[in-house]
Amino acid sequence: MKEKVLRSLTRLFAPQLAANMERGGSGGITEFGANEVDQFMEVDDRGSDVTIFSFAGLAALYAGLPSFEFKKLLRSGGKDYNLVFFRDIRRLCYHVTPTGEPEGLDFYETAIRDVMKQLGSKHNVAMGVSVGGSAALYFGAKCGMQQVIGFSPGYPLTVYCGGLNQLQTFLDIPRLVLRPKAYAELALVTLATGWSYRQLCKMKGKKNLWPVLDTYTTASPRPKATIFYGQHCRPDARQATFFDGLENVKKVPVPTVYHNCAGFLKQRGDLASAIHNEISNYTP
């Protein structure tokens, strides 16, 4: 039912996006082939002392597998960083393994630590958008990385799933009339987040979901973090307040109504420089 709502909203408010989704797959948010189960990680070893770990989000706006986030941008950016890309093909916030087992957090942590040991870089950066930003905070802290760059990190999920946000999102008639694409994007993200949250609660229980903020704040040493978020995207602005007052955390409001503030920066031609500047600020 939820996937039908997602498809209908996309066809209504973003027909070009819907056409792209249907060309690329069925338009479902949970479908992938059996041969794709092992395609959760990609490693590009360039012999660098800096490694970027990029975590994909739910990719609610796209069919098939979530794409490896920032792949083209990072590989064509003129830097020789090692690049490691992760994606959660189950779209369950990395809580489930690619084969469907419930020990996803341990599975991905082990995979990350193995790659860190293999590459041996002195400076490791975790980066991601939305749920991928939450993964960057969680695994960056868990695995002892030096830096985190999050774009609209989707934590806590209850901000998007809460009744107040859903009412404000779906009944925002001015946005629907004046900014239909922004309305569709936020509605789709809200629906997909709710779907993921409900599935996780059934599988793991609310008390067993990843404690992203606690894991980050109690890490010693704690990685330095930069949080980009859509200044005029209500739920993202609310989520950003959870980082207020935290040492070594820099918040960067981006002047957009969209949840995908990284996409906004990319359209302006500022995304690559924003990423590279943050890394250079903290690289020894």
Side-chain angles (χ1 to χ4, degrees), residues 55-56 58 88 92-95 104-105 108 130-139 142 153-157 196-197 200 204-215:
F55 297 90
L58 292 178
D88 174 12
L92 290 172
C93 306
Y94 296 88
H95 284 64
L105 295 179
Y108 286 106
S130 192
V131 164
S134 299
L137 283 161
Y138 179 81
F139 292 117
K142 266 279 189 181
Y155 186 84
L157 291 175
S196 184
Y197 181 68
L200 284 172
K204 307 282 290 185
K206 290 182 181 181
K207 294 182 179 180
N208 297 317
L209 303 187
W210 58 2
V212 173
L213 203 56
D214 287 345
T215 301

Side-chain angles (χ1 to χ4, degrees), residues 29 31-32 36 39-42 54-73 75 84-91 94 127-129 132 260 266:
I29 64 171
E31 298 174 2
F32 51 87
E36 296 169 320
Q39 299 176 25
F40 65 88
M41 179 179 68
E42 193 170 297
S54 177
F55 297 90
L58 292 178
L61 303 182
Y62 301 96
L65 286 175
S67 62
F68 287 123
E69 209 78 63
F70 304 114
K71 185 174 179 179
K72 183 177 180 180
L73 179 79
R75 283 183 168 164
V84 183
F85 302 95
F86 280 92
R87 59 183 171 190
D88 174 12
I89 66 173
R90 300 276 171 178
R91 286 181 165 96
Y94 296 88
M127 185 169 68
V129 174
N260 185 8
K266 184 178 180 180

Side-chain angles (χ1 to χ4, degrees), residues 56-128:
L58 292 178
L61 303 182
Y62 301 96
L65 286 175
S67 62
F68 287 123
E69 209 78 63
F70 304 114
K71 185 174 179 179
K72 183 177 180 180
L73 179 79
L74 293 173
R75 283 183 168 164
S76 62
K79 303 291 184 179
D80 65 348
Y81 306 137
N82 301 325
L83 304 174
V84 183
F85 302 95
F86 280 92
R87 59 183 171 190
D88 174 12
I89 66 173
R90 300 276 171 178
R91 286 181 165 96
L92 290 172
C93 306
Y94 296 88
H95 284 64
V96 177
T97 70
T99 55
E101 302 301 317
E103 298 83 12
L105 295 179
D106 292 336
F107 172 87
Y108 286 106
E109 181 183 345
T110 298
I112 293 163
R113 289 185 181 276
D114 288 346
V115 174
M116 289 177 66
K117 183 177 180 180
Q118 171 192 332
L119 297 178
S121 294
K122 295 179 180 178
H123 191 80
N124 296 284
V125 183
M127 185 169 68

Side-chain angles (χ1 to χ4, degrees), residues 212-259:
V212 173
L213 203 56
D214 287 345
T215 301
Y216 176 74
T217 56
T218 57
S220 182
R222 183 196 304 169
K224 295 178 173 61
T226 304
I227 306 298
F228 294 86
Y229 65 96
Q231 186 176 7
H232 306 298
C233 180
R234 280 188 302 262
D236 291 352
R238 288 190 194 120
Q239 287 177 328
T241 63
F242 284 82
F243 300 95
D244 288 347
L246 292 183
E247 188 178 357
N248 292 327
V249 175
K250 179 173 73 172
K251 291 169 50 179
V252 182
V254 179
T256 179
V257 298
Y258 287 94
H259 168 68

Side-chain angles (χ1 to χ4, degrees), residues 14-56:
Q16 184 58 52
L17 174 59
N20 292 339
M21 289 172 66
E22 288 166 4
R23 280 196 298 270
S26 67
I29 64 171
T30 60
E31 298 174 2
F32 51 87
N35 63 323
E36 296 169 320
V37 169
D38 293 331
Q39 299 176 25
F40 65 88
M41 179 179 68
E42 193 170 297
V43 180
D44 187 354
D45 183 356
R46 302 181 176 188
S48 175
D49 276 340
V50 177
T51 296
I52 298 177
F53 289 80
S54 177
F55 297 90

